[in-house]
Amino acid sequence: MALRACGLIVFRRVPPANNIEFLLLQTSYGKHHWTPPKGHVDPGEDDMTTALRETEEEAGLHPGQFSVVDGFRQELNYNVKGKAKTVIYWLAELRDPGARVRLSNEHQDFRWLPLREACEYAGYQDMQKTLNDASQFLQGDLRQGASLQ
């Protein structure tokens, strides 16, 4: 059976130009890789509930502090230690760009990064593609005048 995890790609708009920055967390274990908040689905829990719970546990951001963006869902499939893993991400916009991030013991650092730097930190190609897809989705929404509330 494949491992299943879910998370949120949290972003904020930074004044004055409303530039987009993505939140990445550095793990305190293994190779200390950088990733958006995510975690394993608990028994009886649906995917979105997992994403919300993990974002609160790992980054200290509760659902009232952000809005999940309609229409974006990305699924990554890869192997970890010989086992198949599926990770599902949604996009979430932080309402207050100055909101405080509070890390759990699973992470040792965090960064708010523009797309290019976020991709450099992320390292893995599938995560880089996901961040690029998220950025393009947001740019498309902005061009079309869609609301992200």
Side-chain angles (χ1 to χ4, degrees):
M1 185 168 135
L3 299 171
R4 187 173 186 86
C6 299
L8 296 177
I9 299 171
V10 180
F11 71 96
R12 67 181 183 180
R13 296 177 195 276
V14 182
N18 277 334
N19 293 326
I20 291 174
E21 293 180 338
F22 296 98
L23 175 64
L24 293 182
L25 311 177
Q26 185 182 36
T27 60
S28 56
Y29 55 86
K31 295 182 179 180
H32 305 296
H33 65 283
W34 293 83
T35 180
K38 71 173 187 323
H40 293 109
V41 178
D42 285 344
E45 189 174 54
D46 66 56
D47 290 344
M48 180 57 75
T49 300
T50 299
L52 296 172
R53 175 181 53 76
E54 288 290 340
T55 299
E56 188 163 6
E57 287 177 6
E58 294 185 353
L61 299 171
H62 62 81
Q65 293 180 278
F66 53 80
S67 299
V68 176
V69 178
D70 287 335
F72 184 90
R73 179 185 179 277
Q74 195 89 0
E75 184 173 311
L76 284 65
N77 294 288
Y78 53 92
N79 289 317
V80 176
K81 297 178 183 174
K83 292 187 177 185
K85 183 171 185 176
T86 296
V87 181
I88 299 169
Y89 286 108
W90 291 269
L91 262 174
E93 182 174 9
L94 195 62
R95 291 190 172 113
D96 172 7
R100 183 171 169 242
V101 173
R102 291 181 324 278
L103 297 176
S104 73
N105 61 0
E106 293 180 50
H107 296 90
Q108 63 185 16
D109 201 2
F110 74 92
R111 296 274 192 287
W112 286 104
L113 299 164
L115 177 63
R116 184 183 59 76
E117 290 178 53
C119 287
E120 289 173 9
Y121 273 71
Y124 296 102
Q125 276 190 333
D126 55 356
M127 191 68 243
Q128 292 171 347
K129 180 184 181 320
T130 298
L131 290 167
N132 275 299
D133 289 350
S135 179
Q136 289 178 359
F137 180 86
L138 291 171
Q139 290 172 16
D141 274 359
L142 296 175
R143 280 195 306 272
Q144 297 167 18
S147 170
L148 298 179
Q149 300 301 319

PDB file of all heavy atoms in Angstrom, residues 20-39:
ATOM      1  N   ILE A  20       4.822  37.525  -5.071  1.00  0.00           N
ATOM      2  CA  ILE A  20       4.462  36.267  -4.415  1.00  0.00           C
ATOM      3  C   ILE A  20       5.707  35.594  -3.851  1.00  0.00           C
ATOM      4  O   ILE A  20       6.733  35.475  -4.522  1.00  0.00           O
ATOM      5  CB  ILE A  20       3.730  35.341  -5.406  1.00  0.00           C
ATOM      6  CG1 ILE A  20       2.357  35.940  -5.725  1.00  0.00           C
ATOM      7  CG2 ILE A  20       3.601  33.929  -4.852  1.00  0.00           C
ATOM      8  CD1 ILE A  20       1.594  35.216  -6.797  1.00  0.00           C
ATOM      9  N   GLU A  21       5.583  35.141  -2.581  1.00  0.00           N
ATOM     10  CA  GLU A  21       6.618  34.354  -1.927  1.00  0.00           C
ATOM     11  C   GLU A  21       5.989  33.073  -1.393  1.00  0.00           C
ATOM     12  O   GLU A  21       4.873  33.102  -0.883  1.00  0.00           O
ATOM     13  CB  GLU A  21       7.250  35.126  -0.763  1.00  0.00           C
ATOM     14  CG  GLU A  21       8.044  36.338  -1.179  1.00  0.00           C
ATOM     15  CD  GLU A  21       8.661  37.074   0.000  1.00  0.00           C
ATOM     16  OE1 GLU A  21       8.162  36.922   1.140  1.00  0.00           O
ATOM     17  OE2 GLU A  21       9.639  37.792  -0.225  1.00  0.00           O
ATOM     18  N   PHE A  22       6.735  31.980  -1.519  1.00  0.00           N
ATOM     19  CA  PHE A  22       6.272  30.673  -1.067  1.00  0.00           C
ATOM     20  C   PHE A  22       6.966  30.301   0.243  1.00  0.00           C
ATOM     21  O   PHE A  22       8.142  30.591   0.435  1.00  0.00           O
ATOM     22  CB  PHE A  22       6.576  29.602  -2.118  1.00  0.00           C
ATOM     23  CG  PHE A  22       5.836  29.810  -3.408  1.00  0.00           C
ATOM     24  CD1 PHE A  22       6.452  30.431  -4.486  1.00  0.00           C
ATOM     25  CD2 PHE A  22       4.518  29.399  -3.544  1.00  0.00           C
ATOM     26  CE1 PHE A  22       5.768  30.625  -5.679  1.00  0.00           C
ATOM     27  CE2 PHE A  22       3.827  29.595  -4.726  1.00  0.00           C
ATOM     28  CZ  PHE A  22       4.458  30.213  -5.799  1.00  0.00           C
ATOM     29  N   LEU A  23       6.232  29.624   1.119  1.00  0.00           N
ATOM     30  CA  LEU A  23       6.772  29.169   2.396  1.00  0.00           C
ATOM     31  C   LEU A  23       7.364  27.765   2.237  1.00  0.00           C
ATOM     32  O   LEU A  23       6.674  26.842   1.816  1.00  0.00           O
ATOM     33  CB  LEU A  23       5.664  29.123   3.458  1.00  0.00           C
ATOM     34  CG  LEU A  23       6.060  28.552   4.819  1.00  0.00           C
ATOM     35  CD1 LEU A  23       7.122  29.423   5.502  1.00  0.00           C
ATOM     36  CD2 LEU A  23       4.825  28.409   5.712  1.00  0.00           C
ATOM     37  N   LEU A  24       8.649  27.643   2.578  1.00  0.00           N
ATOM     38  CA  LEU A  24       9.294  26.332   2.612  1.00  0.00           C
ATOM     39  C   LEU A  24       9.868  26.112   4.004  1.00  0.00           C
ATOM     40  O   LEU A  24      10.404  27.041   4.626  1.00  0.00           O
ATOM     41  CB  LEU A  24      10.410  26.232   1.571  1.00  0.00           C
ATOM     42  CG  LEU A  24       9.977  26.250   0.101  1.00  0.00           C
ATOM     43  CD1 LEU A  24      11.204  26.092  -0.796  1.00  0.00           C
ATOM     44  CD2 LEU A  24       8.965  25.162  -0.191  1.00  0.00           C
ATOM     45  N   LEU A  25       9.756  24.879   4.480  1.00  0.00           N
ATOM     46  CA  LEU A  25      10.249  24.484   5.788  1.00  0.00           C
ATOM     47  C   LEU A  25      11.424  23.517   5.603  1.00  0.00           C
ATOM     48  O   LEU A  25      11.374  22.641   4.738  1.00  0.00           O
ATOM     49  CB  LEU A  25       9.150  23.772   6.583  1.00  0.00           C
ATOM     50  CG  LEU A  25       7.777  24.444   6.652  1.00  0.00           C
ATOM     51  CD1 LEU A  25       6.804  23.560   7.418  1.00  0.00           C
ATOM     52  CD2 LEU A  25       7.884  25.822   7.266  1.00  0.00           C
ATOM     53  N   GLN A  26      12.458  23.667   6.428  1.00  0.00           N
ATOM     54  CA  GLN A  26      13.617  22.770   6.357  1.00  0.00           C
ATOM     55  C   GLN A  26      13.468  21.691   7.427  1.00  0.00           C
ATOM     56  O   GLN A  26      13.338  21.998   8.614  1.00  0.00           O
ATOM     57  CB  GLN A  26      14.915  23.539   6.572  1.00  0.00           C
ATOM     58  CG  GLN A  26      16.138  22.659   6.386  1.00  0.00           C
ATOM     59  CD  GLN A  26      17.430  23.402   6.635  1.00  0.00           C
ATOM     60  OE1 GLN A  26      17.508  24.255   7.511  1.00  0.00           O
ATOM     61  NE2 GLN A  26      18.454  23.057   5.865  1.00  0.00           N
ATOM     62  N   THR A  27      13.518  20.443   6.993  1.00  0.00           N
ATOM     63  CA  THR A  27      13.352  19.340   7.935  1.00  0.00           C
ATOM     64  C   THR A  27      14.516  19.291   8.913  1.00  0.00           C
ATOM     65  O   THR A  27      15.635  19.677   8.592  1.00  0.00           O
ATOM     66  CB  THR A  27      13.259  17.978   7.201  1.00  0.00           C
ATOM     67  OG1 THR A  27      14.471  17.768   6.462  1.00  0.00           O
ATOM     68  CG2 THR A  27      12.073  17.926   6.272  1.00  0.00           C
ATOM     69  N   SER A  28      14.225  18.814  10.108  1.00  0.00           N
ATOM     70  CA  SER A  28      15.260  18.665  11.134  1.00  0.00           C
ATOM     71  C   SER A  28      15.813  17.238  11.122  1.00  0.00           C
ATOM     72  O   SER A  28      16.566  16.856  12.011  1.00  0.00           O
ATOM     73  CB  SER A  28      14.699  19.021  12.514  1.00  0.00           C
ATOM     74  OG  SER A  28      13.563  18.244  12.806  1.00  0.00           O
ATOM     75  N   TYR A  29      15.468  16.458  10.132  1.00  0.00           N
ATOM     76  CA  TYR A  29      15.906  15.063  10.030  1.00  0.00           C
ATOM     77  C   TYR A  29      16.456  14.812   8.623  1.00  0.00           C
ATOM     78  O   TYR A  29      16.274  15.635   7.716  1.00  0.00           O
ATOM     79  CB  TYR A  29      14.731  14.110  10.314  1.00  0.00           C
ATOM     80  CG  TYR A  29      13.536  14.352   9.428  1.00  0.00           C
ATOM     81  CD1 TYR A  29      13.439  13.760   8.174  1.00  0.00           C
ATOM     82  CD2 TYR A  29      12.511  15.206   9.827  1.00  0.00           C
ATOM     83  CE1 TYR A  29      12.360  14.004   7.346  1.00  0.00           C
ATOM     84  CE2 TYR A  29      11.425  15.450   9.007  1.00  0.00           C
ATOM     85  CZ  TYR A  29      11.351  14.843   7.769  1.00  0.00           C
ATOM     86  OH  TYR A  29      10.282  15.107   6.944  1.00  0.00           O
ATOM     87  N   GLY A  30      17.096  13.696   8.453  1.00  0.00           N
ATOM     88  CA  GLY A  30      17.582  13.276   7.135  1.00  0.00           C
ATOM     89  C   GLY A  30      18.550  14.282   6.524  1.00  0.00           C
ATOM     90  O   GLY A  30      19.452  14.781   7.189  1.00  0.00           O
ATOM     91  N   LYS A  31      18.317  14.597   5.260  1.00  0.00           N
ATOM     92  CA  LYS A  31      19.204  15.499   4.519  1.00  0.00           C
ATOM     93  C   LYS A  31      18.785  16.961   4.671  1.00  0.00           C
ATOM     94  O   LYS A  31      19.252  17.824   3.947  1.00  0.00           O
ATOM     95  CB  LYS A  31      19.238  15.110   3.045  1.00  0.00           C
ATOM     96  CG  LYS A  31      19.838  13.746   2.806  1.00  0.00           C
ATOM     97  CD  LYS A  31      19.913  13.404   1.335  1.00  0.00           C
ATOM     98  CE  LYS A  31      20.539  12.031   1.153  1.00  0.00           C
ATOM     99  NZ  LYS A  31      20.634  11.651  -0.253  1.00  0.00           N
ATOM    100  N   HIS A  32      17.871  17.228   5.605  1.00  0.00           N
ATOM    101  CA  HIS A  32      17.419  18.602   5.880  1.00  0.00           C
ATOM    102  C   HIS A  32      16.870  19.286   4.620  1.00  0.00           C
ATOM    103  O   HIS A  32      17.174  20.440   4.359  1.00  0.00           O
ATOM    104  CB  HIS A  32      18.539  19.436   6.511  1.00  0.00           C
ATOM    105  CG  HIS A  32      19.118  18.818   7.745  1.00  0.00           C
ATOM    106  ND1 HIS A  32      18.376  18.618   8.895  1.00  0.00           N
ATOM    107  CD2 HIS A  32      20.357  18.336   8.010  1.00  0.00           C
ATOM    108  CE1 HIS A  32      19.140  18.050   9.814  1.00  0.00           C
ATOM    109  NE2 HIS A  32      20.338  17.859   9.304  1.00  0.00           N
ATOM    110  N   HIS A  33      16.059  18.550   3.873  1.00  0.00           N
ATOM    111  CA  HIS A  33      15.488  19.104   2.653  1.00  0.00           C
ATOM    112  C   HIS A  33      14.408  20.152   2.984  1.00  0.00           C
ATOM    113  O   HIS A  33      13.938  20.257   4.113  1.00  0.00           O
ATOM    114  CB  HIS A  33      14.925  17.990   1.759  1.00  0.00           C
ATOM    115  CG  HIS A  33      13.768  17.250   2.360  1.00  0.00           C
ATOM    116  ND1 HIS A  33      13.921  16.290   3.340  1.00  0.00           N
ATOM    117  CD2 HIS A  33      12.438  17.339   2.123  1.00  0.00           C
ATOM    118  CE1 HIS A  33      12.732  15.822   3.684  1.00  0.00           C
ATOM    119  NE2 HIS A  33      11.808  16.440   2.967  1.00  0.00           N
ATOM    120  N   TRP A  34      14.043  20.915   1.976  1.00  0.00           N
ATOM    121  CA  TRP A  34      13.056  21.992   2.111  1.00  0.00           C
ATOM    122  C   TRP A  34      11.775  21.573   1.411  1.00  0.00           C
ATOM    123  O   TRP A  34      11.809  21.062   0.294  1.00  0.00           O
ATOM    124  CB  TRP A  34      13.599  23.272   1.484  1.00  0.00           C
ATOM    125  CG  TRP A  34      14.766  23.844   2.214  1.00  0.00           C
ATOM    126  CD1 TRP A  34      16.080  23.462   2.090  1.00  0.00           C
ATOM    127  CD2 TRP A  34      14.741  24.892   3.183  1.00  0.00           C
ATOM    128  NE1 TRP A  34      16.865  24.215   2.934  1.00  0.00           N
ATOM    129  CE2 TRP A  34      16.070  25.116   3.611  1.00  0.00           C
ATOM    130  CE3 TRP A  34      13.713  25.678   3.726  1.00  0.00           C
ATOM    131  CZ2 TRP A  34      16.406  26.074   4.547  1.00  0.00           C
ATOM    132  CZ3 TRP A  34      14.053  26.644   4.658  1.00  0.00           C
ATOM    133  CH2 TRP A  34      15.382  26.837   5.067  1.00  0.00           C
ATOM    134  N   THR A  35      10.655  21.827   2.051  1.00  0.00           N
ATOM    135  CA  THR A  35       9.367  21.391   1.525  1.00  0.00           C
ATOM    136  C   THR A  35       8.253  22.272   2.093  1.00  0.00           C
ATOM    137  O   THR A  35       8.399  22.833   3.179  1.00  0.00           O
ATOM    138  CB  THR A  35       9.126  19.908   1.907  1.00  0.00           C
ATOM    139  OG1 THR A  35       7.867  19.481   1.387  1.00  0.00           O
ATOM    140  CG2 THR A  35       9.143  19.691   3.395  1.00  0.00           C
ATOM    141  N   PRO A  36       7.133  22.368   1.384  1.00  0.00           N
ATOM    142  CA  PRO A  36       5.963  22.992   2.001  1.00  0.00           C
ATOM    143  C   PRO A  36       5.473  22.110   3.156  1.00  0.00           C
ATOM    144  O   PRO A  36       5.811  20.926   3.229  1.00  0.00           O
ATOM    145  CB  PRO A  36       4.923  23.013   0.874  1.00  0.00           C
ATOM    146  CG  PRO A  36       5.710  22.881  -0.383  1.00  0.00           C
ATOM    147  CD  PRO A  36       6.895  22.034  -0.020  1.00  0.00           C
ATOM    148  N   PRO A  37       4.661  22.663   4.059  1.00  0.00           N
ATOM    149  CA  PRO A  37       4.114  21.829   5.137  1.00  0.00           C
ATOM    150  C   PRO A  37       3.260  20.696   4.562  1.00  0.00           C
ATOM    151  O   PRO A  37       2.435  20.916   3.682  1.00  0.00           O
ATOM    152  CB  PRO A  37       3.267  22.798   5.964  1.00  0.00           C
ATOM    153  CG  PRO A  37       3.207  24.074   5.221  1.00  0.00           C
ATOM    154  CD  PRO A  37       4.216  24.050   4.139  1.00  0.00           C
ATOM    155  N   LYS A  38       3.516  19.492   5.057  1.00  0.00           N
ATOM    156  CA  LYS A  38       2.761  18.314   4.600  1.00  0.00           C
ATOM    157  C   LYS A  38       2.956  17.199   5.610  1.00  0.00           C
ATOM    158  O   LYS A  38       3.870  17.260   6.439  1.00  0.00           O
ATOM    159  CB  LYS A  38       3.228  17.852   3.223  1.00  0.00           C
ATOM    160  CG  LYS A  38       4.614  17.220   3.245  1.00  0.00           C
ATOM    161  CD  LYS A  38       4.959  16.625   1.915  1.00  0.00           C
ATOM    162  CE  LYS A  38       6.248  15.846   1.901  1.00  0.00           C
ATOM    163  NZ  LYS A  38       7.367  16.332   2.687  1.00  0.00           N
ATOM    164  N   GLY A  39       2.091  16.192   5.535  1.00  0.00           N
ATOM    165  CA  GLY A  39       2.255  15.055   6.415  1.00  0.00           C
ATOM    166  C   GLY A  39       1.327  13.922   6.043  1.00  0.00           C
ATOM    167  O   GLY A  39       0.458  14.059   5.180  1.00  0.00           O
TER     168      GLY A  39
END
